[in-house]
């Protein structure tokens, strides 16, 4: 199976998918980040297309950047100044030509991630 990348963002404080959250994908080359795509989550907290589809997939180091602060603002979560979680960068490696799923569980004061299936 050719490799590709997906995500799923769940708002654990509200118990529902994180709708309308902006996500950027960067490919890392040393300390340099190259923006590959910008997507927004849909009503299910997923992107409408694969973040990195099979036809452009390469192994290497990547960074997903989740714009949590903007999402929390849009949800009406009261903001402290500065907001505790604003932009969440997740840097990870993909070493095999397979499906990588990198979900984010989000609340205003914490998050977790893992390699899903």
């Amino acid at each position: 199976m050719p490799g590709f990348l997906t995500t799923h963002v769940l708002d654990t404080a509200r118990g529902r998918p994180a709708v309308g959250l902006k996500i950027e994908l960067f490919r890392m080359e040393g300390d340099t980040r190259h923006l590959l795509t910008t997507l927004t989550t849909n009503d299910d907290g997923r992107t409408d297309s694969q973040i990195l589809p099979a036809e452009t997939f390469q192994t290497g180091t990547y960074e997903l950047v989740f714009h949590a602060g903007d999402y929390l603002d849009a949800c009406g979560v009261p903001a402290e100044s500065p907001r505790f979680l604003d932009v969440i960068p997740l840097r990870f490696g993909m070493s095999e030509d397979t499906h990588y799923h990198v979900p984010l569980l989000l609340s205003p004061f914490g998050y977790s991630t893992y390699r899903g299936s």
Side-chain angles (χ1 to χ4, degrees):
M1 170 172 51
F4 61 98
L5 173 64
T6 59
T7 192
H8 188 198
V9 185
L10 297 173
D11 182 332
T12 58
R14 297 172 63 212
R16 60 182 69 157
V19 178
L21 190 143
K22 177 181 166 185
I23 303 169
E24 296 171 310
L25 175 67
F26 294 87
R27 180 170 171 80
M28 302 300 302
E29 292 181 14
D31 290 333
T32 304
R33 298 182 337 160
H34 299 280
L35 179 63
L36 300 180
T37 191
T38 302
L39 301 163
T40 304
T41 56
N42 60 23
D43 289 346
D44 192 36
R46 302 174 188 273
T47 56
D48 288 332
S49 60
Q50 296 168 351
I51 298 172
L52 187 61
E55 54 271 6
T56 57
F57 182 88
Q58 295 178 22
T59 59
T61 303
Y62 290 84
E63 187 172 274
L64 282 170
V65 177
F66 297 88
H67 291 265
D70 292 342
Y71 164 77
L72 295 167
D73 289 345
C75 291
V77 174
E80 63 283 351
S81 183
R83 187 176 279 288
F84 180 70
L85 289 178
D86 185 19
V87 176
I88 300 170
L90 297 178
R91 191 169 293 179
F92 57 97
M94 297 191 292
S95 60
E96 302 172 7
D97 195 18
T98 189
H99 176 200
Y100 283 81
H101 184 68
V102 182
L104 183 75
L105 305 176
L106 173 66
S107 77
F109 297 101
Y111 68 91
S112 64
T113 189
Y114 54 95
R115 181 175 175 187
S117 58

